[in-house]
Amino acid sequence: MLDAVTIAMVIATFFIGGFVKGTIGLGLPVVVLVILAQVVSVADAIAVFVIPGVVSNIWQATNGPWLKPLLRRLWPFLAAAVVGIVTGVSILAGAQSENMVALLGILLVFYSLYSLLAPRLPAPGRHEAWMAPTASGSAGVLFGMTGIFIVPGILYLEALRLPRDQFVQALGITFITLTSTMTLTLAGFDLLTRDHVILSLIALGPVFAGLWTGRKLRHRISESGFRKVFFVALVFVGLHMIYRSGALI
C-alpha cells in the first residue's frame, strides 16, 4: 500500500476529513471512509483510520470534570460496544468487500437523512438499563464491519439529553473506546499490517492541519449551510456506493 498514489490519497483524504470536522464539529471518520473506500477495501480504510481516530479524541475524552461520572453511567454502553466490535470485525474478516461497501452506503444515507431532518428522539428514561447495551452492541457490530458507530450508537447518546459539555466529553470517551478496541481487534484478526500503521501515522499531520484550517474558517462561512451541503452530498455518495456494490442490481 505504500505507493506514491496511496500516500497522496491518504494525505488529501485526512486533510479534507479534518477540515470538515474543524468546520462543523463532526464528519472525520465518515469523510475518510467514504473517500478511501473508493480506492481500497473498507477493511483497509478502517485500518488506516485507527491511529488518527485515537489521537484526535484523547483531548476531547479527558478535557472536563465529568470523566468519572460519565464512565460510571456509560460503562454498560461501552462494554457492549467492545463486544459488538469484536463480533463485527470477525464478520468483516470473512466478508465480501462489495457487501461492506453496500452496508456503508446504506448507513451513510440513513445518517445523512437523519442529520438533515433532525428528529428529536425520546429519552430512554427508565429503559436506559437495557437500551444502552442494546444500542451500543448493535452499533458496535456495525462499527466493526464499516467503521460507522452513529446508527444507533451516537443517536442513543443524543437521546440522553446530556448538557453540551458533558455530551462532547461522552463522545470523546466513546470514540477512544471504539478506536482503541478496533485497533486491537484488527491486529488480532491480522487485518492491521505494518503498511496500515505507517499510513495511519502519516495521516496524523494532515488531519490536524485540516482541523486547524476548518476552525480558522468556521466563522467565515455559514456553518448551517455547509452542514446541509455536506449531508446532501453524503446521501448521493451513499446511493452511489450502494449502486456500485451491485446491491440494487
Side-chain angles (χ1 to χ4, degrees):
M1 296 182 66
L2 296 178
D3 58 273
V5 174
T6 304
I7 292 173
M9 177 67 75
V10 167
I11 291 173
T13 298
F14 278 87
F15 178 82
I16 295 170
F19 175 79
V20 172
K21 182 175 175 63
T23 303
I24 63 175
L26 50 83
L28 174 60
V30 172
V31 171
V32 168
L33 293 171
V34 163
I35 297 178
L36 288 186
Q38 308 299 317
V39 293
V40 299
S41 70
V42 173
D44 286 331
I46 293 172
V48 173
F49 177 75
V50 289
I51 293 178
V54 171
V55 174
S56 63
N57 284 290
I58 290 176
W59 181 85
Q60 185 174 333
T62 57
N63 183 43
W66 302 283
L67 181 61
K68 288 184 178 179
L70 284 172
L71 286 175
R72 282 196 297 268
R73 181 175 185 178
L74 296 178
W75 75 262
F77 179 87
L78 300 173
V82 169
V83 175
I85 291 170
V86 175
T87 303
V89 173
S90 68
I91 296 172
L92 176 68
Q96 294 290 328
S97 179
E98 294 80 4
N99 294 334
M100 295 300 97
V101 170
L103 181 57
L104 179 57
I106 292 169
L107 292 176
L108 286 177
V109 172
F110 184 92
Y111 165 51
S112 301
L113 291 176
Y114 172 86
S115 299
L116 289 168
L117 299 174
R120 189 169 177 82
L121 298 178
R126 60 187 177 87
H127 302 294
E128 185 173 337
W130 66 266
M131 286 186 68
T134 301
S136 63
S138 56
V141 174
L142 293 173
F143 183 78
M145 297 167 65
T146 67
I148 300 294
F149 187 76
I150 297 162
V151 184
I154 302 304
L155 303 187
Y156 170 82
L157 287 180
E158 291 179 349
L160 292 179
R161 310 282 196 272
L162 296 172
R164 178 175 175 79
D165 289 343
Q166 289 189 41
F167 177 68
V168 170
Q169 190 167 8
L171 286 178
I173 295 168
T174 299
F175 287 132
I176 284 290
T177 303
L178 298 178
T179 49
S180 300
T181 303
M182 178 69 88
T183 302
L184 295 174
T185 308
L186 287 172
F189 281 91
D190 295 324
L191 296 176
L192 185 65
T193 67
R194 182 181 66 91
D195 286 1
H196 292 134
V197 173
I198 292 173
L199 287 172
S200 205
L201 291 171
I202 290 172
L204 287 173
V207 77
F208 283 105
L211 283 168
W212 181 84
T213 305
R215 287 169 181 164
K216 293 289 286 186
L217 295 178
R218 178 181 294 175
H219 301 296
R220 300 184 183 182
I221 61 178
S222 170
E223 183 177 339
S224 61
F226 189 92
R227 284 176 63 95
K228 289 179 182 178
V229 171
F230 174 67
F231 286 118
V232 169
L234 280 185
V235 171
F236 287 101
V237 170
L239 291 174
H240 171 71
M241 294 179 75
I242 297 170
Y243 176 80
R244 181 167 65 89
S245 71
L248 298 182
I249 300 176

